[in-house]
Amino acid sequence: MIIKYIIVAALALTIFSSCSEDNTSNTTTNPKVDQSKSIAEVATNAIQVGKDYHSFSNPESIKVTHLNLDLTVDFSKKMLIGTAHLDLQKVDQNATQLILDTRNLTINSVTAMGEKVDFGLANGDSFLGSALTIDVPAAADSVLISYQTSPKASGVQWLTPEQTAGKKHPFLFTQAQAIHARSFIPLQDSPQVRMTYEATIRTPKALLAVMSASNDPKSQRDGIYEFSMPQPIPSYLIALAVGDLHFKPMGERTGVYSEKGILDAAAAEFADTESMLIATEKAFGPYSWDRYDLLILPPSFPFGGMENPRLSFITPTVIAGDKSLVSLIAHELAHSWSGNTVTNATWRDLWLNEGFTTYLTYRIMQMVYGDERFEMESVLGRQDLQADIDSLPDKDQIMAIDLRGRDPDDVFSNIPYEKGALFLRELELKVGRENFDQFLLNYFEKFAFKSITTDQFISYLEQTLLKDHSDTLSMQRIEEWIFQPGIPEDAYVPESDAFIIVDQARDAWLEGTVQADEINSEKWVVHQWLYFLNNMPEKLSQEQLTDLDKVFALTKSKNNEIAHSWLLISVNNWYQPAFNRLHDYLTTIGRNKLVKPLYKALSQTPEGKIMAQKAFAEAKSGYHPLTVKANEVFVQ
Ligand code: BES
Ligand code: ZN
């Protein structure tokens, strides 16, 4: 343990000193540094708590409070062209410069009170983009920026008609989290800056625009769409999609937007969204965002889902026909509380968004689908976490991760999600569910529409749960969860009775005492299949793979998660009968979580790499910029 402390300290200090040149000039040292603290505490304190190392902006001097966008969507140029009007609040009355984040934007002009003002666009950083510095006249309380995006904007994907389900119209969607809003809007791209927004979006007449704002399901298709988001949100939640979209209601407050071809299937798959919403409100307090709709994107959407307020963006790869993958909806819905209402102040604090949300997801699944589903999903989540603990370096296993000098896109893992959720589960088990639910309810209320740091969370915990339950909780244990790698000893281990028969079947089959066709699997659900496959030994023989595939038709599985697990086994064991499906999978799906492990596995052998290169070359033009960036390393 002592060695770990020193490693953490050394690492943090090295990174800190290499960053200090460009980052510390206008900030003060964290007053919390205390000589009596442990090395680990000093090391983490060397990070300026609450400082956003991923934004050039200066909200401590001038803060953007409201955004008014007017954008024309030009599909032929692959550009958004128009204006961003920013309302400003001077925090420092003497401040004369507004600093915004941008990436690959062309700034045509900046005006304040109708007059042109001076601005400067810095040279681009490799992943942070370029600071836009605007001279703000003393009397001005807003600026108007005329700009256009680049066709290569990292936060925008432009799809040709052929890349959509309907094949007739083009499609566009944005994905701003973590630091991509700056590639389509000049703004203070930091989760600690909250703003309300309005937008006018001008599109070709046949298309519909939707945003993370109030959407009118009955809106006329006339090519001019108006939106308003009256609650203050961080920039990473601003989102836009344009396409041949249609709407189908699912419940009183819930509905689904998608291309026509998948609308009915999507509405049937996600029909329980309204029940999820009602259950979550009952347990964790009122829903603050009016409607909750889903937008189903084309399969190139790089994530499973994105919690854009009032309108979660969802991959079509979870439409399985049996609601087996709808925990994704519970997850994006849960973000309406943890993330959108109470927001991480910096990307170091991402676990406050994703850990709380993952914990809530399990709870919603239990409320809506029962204990067995809850237990199975908890076990699978724990196994995903273990895979990361076994493979990631220590520094990347820390929940309050040090991201200085790193692109948040490169550090995506299960740690903030599943380790965060397991930590909260431990708190729940130690204080009792009723007390913990009350704590969560108060937490969501207390920090509503605020962006908070890990340290603020810890002090809140100290003043509340910890004070009332000092017999079962300790600060030392809490800090171990948050600031140390690995999982604390004796942490709770989720279990599922439904998996016992699966373990027995797998063991017997591996021993050769039963053949695949003797396994009594007629009643197995998707989660049992995933558990069956994900826990196979690394090496299987061709005979074993053929036996499984013949009996269970795994290569043909229509469930994208099962297909993923099977294709991974197939790559790792060079099972060629699955390779046509593999190629098809890699060239039709762009969800990074599903394709990246396959590219990675293929890249381990020369023959595999050739297959990966072939699939990647074919798929690249249809992949989102994030999926390209995450996978091109495996085909070089
Ligand atoms: N907010 C995340 C997606 C995200 C996180 C984008 C960090 C960029 C940076 C979203 O809610 C999410 O967690 N999606 C998961 C869902 C899964 C855990 C159910 C995904 O896309 O896989
Ligand atoms: Zn999430």
Side-chain angles (χ1 to χ4, degrees), residues 544-556 566 575 577:
Q544 286 174 313
L545 294 162
T546 311
D547 186 30
L548 286 180
D549 203 12
K550 199 175 76 206
V551 178
F552 304 127
L554 293 163
T555 298
K556 290 198 196 114
W566 174 246
Y575 176 64

Side-chain angles (χ1 to χ4, degrees), residues 282-301:
K282 206 165 145 220
F284 304 112
Y287 178 72
S288 315
W289 304 89
D290 192 23
R291 287 193 59 81
Y292 182 71
D293 294 317
L294 306 175
L295 168 68
I296 314 304
L297 290 137
S300 70
F301 186 57

Side-chain angles (χ1 to χ4, degrees), residues 364-383:
I364 297 170
M365 294 307 287
Q366 185 176 35
M367 291 187 283
V368 178
Y369 299 96
D371 290 345
E372 189 165 277
R373 180 85 171 245
F374 167 75
E375 285 156 11
M376 288 191 298
E377 294 192 346
S378 302
V379 173
L380 292 172
R382 179 65 183 81
Q383 294 200 328

Side-chain angles (χ1 to χ4, degrees), residues 175 177-178 303-307 328 331-332 335 350 354 412 417 591 593:
Q175 165 60 39
Q177 196 180 12
F303 289 99
M306 177 65 213
E307 66 271 28
L328 175 77
H331 179 99
E332 302 315 335
H335 270 307
L350 178 70
E354 299 301 343
F412 196 79
Y417 288 77
R591 180 179 172 192
K593 184 190 137 195

Side-chain angles (χ1 to χ4, degrees), residues 16-29:
F16 180 62
S17 53
S18 68
C19 285
S20 57
E21 239 174 44
D22 38 298
N23 283 325
T24 51
S25 53
N26 60 349
T27 46
T28 52
T29 317

Side-chain angles (χ1 to χ4, degrees), residues 180-358:
H180 299 284
R182 64 191 67 178
S183 76
F184 57 96
I185 310 171
L187 39 56
Q188 295 185 318
D189 197 8
S190 168
Q192 51 197 267
V193 178
R194 304 183 84 95
M195 71 203 114
T196 48
Y197 83 82
E198 284 163 274
T200 304
I201 305 293
R202 301 163 200 276
T203 74
K205 277 211 169 73
L207 304 184
L208 179 67
V210 291
M211 287 193 86
S212 55
S214 59
N215 287 282
D216 175 5
K218 294 187 201 83
S219 120
Q220 241 195 326
R221 236 168 230 267
D222 57 3
I224 302 181
Y225 304 99
E226 309 273 351
F227 303 93
S228 118
M229 167 46 79
Q231 287 120 316
I233 59 165
S235 55
Y236 77 88
L237 294 176
I238 299 175
L240 165 70
V242 178
D244 184 13
L245 293 169
H246 296 265
F247 177 80
K248 186 164 179 168
M250 296 190 292
E252 219 174 286
R253 284 183 289 170
T254 54
V256 59
Y257 290 89
S258 75
E259 288 190 71
K260 227 180 197 139
I262 53 164
L263 192 58
D264 289 339
E269 193 81 22
F270 307 131
D272 300 329
T273 307
E274 189 89 19
S275 316
M276 289 181 181
L277 175 58
I278 293 166
T280 317
E281 281 193 303
K282 206 165 145 220
F284 304 112
Y287 178 72
S288 315
W289 304 89
D290 192 23
R291 287 193 59 81
Y292 182 71
D293 294 317
L294 306 175
L295 168 68
I296 314 304
L297 290 137
S300 70
F301 186 57
F303 289 99
M306 177 65 213
E307 66 271 28
N308 299 315
R310 298 183 185 214
L311 183 68
S312 286
F313 284 24
I314 302 293
T315 172
T317 61
V318 291
I319 304 178
D322 56 5
K323 301 184 180 176
S324 55
L325 307 178
V326 299
S327 65
L328 175 77
I329 306 299
H331 179 99
E332 302 315 335
L333 170 70
H335 270 307
S336 306
W337 284 259
S338 42
N340 301 2
T341 303
V342 182
T343 305
N344 53 211
T346 75
W347 297 115
R348 172 185 185 231
D349 310 302
L350 178 70
W351 77 274
L352 290 176
N353 277 17
E354 299 301 343
F356 275 72
T357 294
T358 303

Side-chain angles (χ1 to χ4, degrees), residues 359 374 421-434 436 465 469 472-473 490-494:
Y359 173 81
F374 167 75
L422 199 62
F423 164 53
L424 297 179
R425 183 97 169 102
E426 173 167 310
L427 294 181
E428 178 211 315
L429 290 169
K430 292 210 166 150
V431 305
R433 184 166 276 193
E434 212 177 303
F436 191 60
L465 268 199
H469 299 273
T472 49
L473 299 180
D490 305 323
Y492 167 72
V493 182

